[in-house]
Amino acid sequence: MAKDMTLLWGSGSPPCWRVQIALEEKNLQGYNQKLLSFEKGEHKSKEVLEINPRGQFPAFKHKNTIVNESCAICFYLENQFKSQGNQLIPEGAAEVGLMYQRIFEGQILGQKIADVVRYTKKVPEAERHDSAVKRNREALKQEIQTWDGYLKGSDGYLSGKSFSLADVIVYPVVAFFFRLGANESHYPNLAAYYNKLKVRPSIKKTWPQYWLEAPGQEQLKDL
């Protein structure tokens, strides 16, 4: 089964990482994969564009089926291989509803992190404003406090008592947040979640090599 799959990916990318976690959770090792470089512009290469015309990682193909958006790939894998590996969609209605909610909220979290760390790259210098920087950082701080509150008194997962697609999809974003230098003591519940899942086999095995080789960053050290 896995031999019929191809994944083109970039190291350090939360979207790519979540797909790798999902593949591990479903015991789909042995898939065809190729690590490519963002820095070299390989996400715009012909090889990638043939699978993903948007020129983005991850690019994923299973037999003749192409699925590219990372969340969609995770759902596809769970749907196609329900009885294989770990079940990633809970059975209870309340837990399923919470799982979907956290997945969609995770996209908001990712965007607010991006608004902070990519501001100087996306906005021309002449158009930058200190007020916008402050506003983006405050919005991110409030968002993180919300997530820290979600995990207070929880079972250590985002949607109930077991690891689910919510964790597959959101954990890489949380890990990226702490990699950027955020102070774990300011968000104890989120930090506990981050450290608990850090040693989960699927996460430990797929931990971005780039992160292991390159030091963490400090954009959020004062957050």
Side-chain angles (χ1 to χ4, degrees):
M1 289 178 286
K3 293 181 179 179
D4 295 323
M5 298 177 181
T6 297
L7 175 67
L8 306 180
W9 60 287
S11 184
S13 158
C16 293
W17 189 13
R18 63 173 59 117
V19 173
Q20 293 174 305
I21 294 171
L23 286 161
E24 287 295 322
E25 290 288 335
K26 301 310 294 182
N27 287 339
L28 291 167
Q29 296 87 0
Y31 54 92
N32 302 299
Q33 60 171 306
K34 188 171 185 180
L35 173 61
L36 298 171
S37 170
F38 290 102
E39 290 74 16
K40 295 178 181 178
E42 291 177 338
H43 53 300
K44 301 298 183 182
S45 66
K46 180 181 178 182
E47 182 179 18
V48 174
L49 291 170
E50 286 178 348
I51 298 178
N52 188 344
R54 290 183 182 274
Q56 298 173 338
F57 298 142
F60 178 81
K61 185 175 182 180
H62 176 214
K63 296 181 180 179
N64 294 320
T65 300
I66 290 175
V67 189
N68 287 311
E69 289 298 319
S70 61
C71 293
I73 298 169
C74 293
F75 274 99
Y76 174 83
L77 292 171
E78 175 61 19
N79 181 270
Q80 294 297 306
F81 303 97
K82 292 179 182 178
S83 61
Q84 182 167 323
N86 295 317
Q87 180 179 338
L88 297 176
I89 296 180
E91 295 181 355
E95 289 189 349
V96 171
L98 186 57
M99 180 198 74
Y100 281 115
Q101 181 175 325
R102 293 292 182 260
I103 287 171
F104 284 100
E105 286 182 297
Q107 310 312 298
I108 298 171
L109 172 60
Q111 184 57 57
K112 289 188 177 180
I113 293 174
D115 289 342
V116 172
V117 301
R118 296 177 184 169
Y119 182 78
T120 55
K121 292 182 179 180
K122 293 178 64 177
V123 180
E125 186 174 359
E127 299 176 19
R128 297 174 196 164
H129 298 282
D130 290 343
S131 60
V133 172
K134 181 179 180 180
R135 183 171 60 250
N136 289 342
R137 294 182 77 85
E138 283 299 317
L140 175 56
K141 184 175 181 179
Q142 291 176 11
E143 182 69 21
I144 291 294
Q145 288 173 337
T146 296
W147 284 88
D148 194 64
Y150 286 159
L151 286 158
K152 185 177 182 179
S154 72
D155 291 299
Y157 301 105
L158 291 179
S159 60
K161 297 181 179 181
S162 61
F163 187 86
S164 74
L165 277 177
D167 302 292
V168 170
I169 289 170
V170 178
Y171 182 83
V173 180
V174 173
F176 183 54
F177 171 73
F178 284 116
R179 174 174 167 75
L180 293 172
N183 192 325
E184 292 187 21
S185 67
H186 292 174
Y187 313 100
N189 303 307
L190 194 64
Y193 169 78
Y194 164 66
N195 287 306
K196 173 182 178 176
L197 292 192
K198 204 174 193 179
V199 296
R200 187 176 177 89
S202 63
I203 290 173
K204 186 175 182 179
K205 183 176 179 180
T206 58
W207 197 270
Q209 188 64 31
Y210 174 75
W211 291 11
L212 294 173
E213 295 172 351
Q217 301 170 37
E218 297 186 343
Q219 288 101 316
L220 303 181
K221 66 179 180 178
D222 59 341
L223 200 66

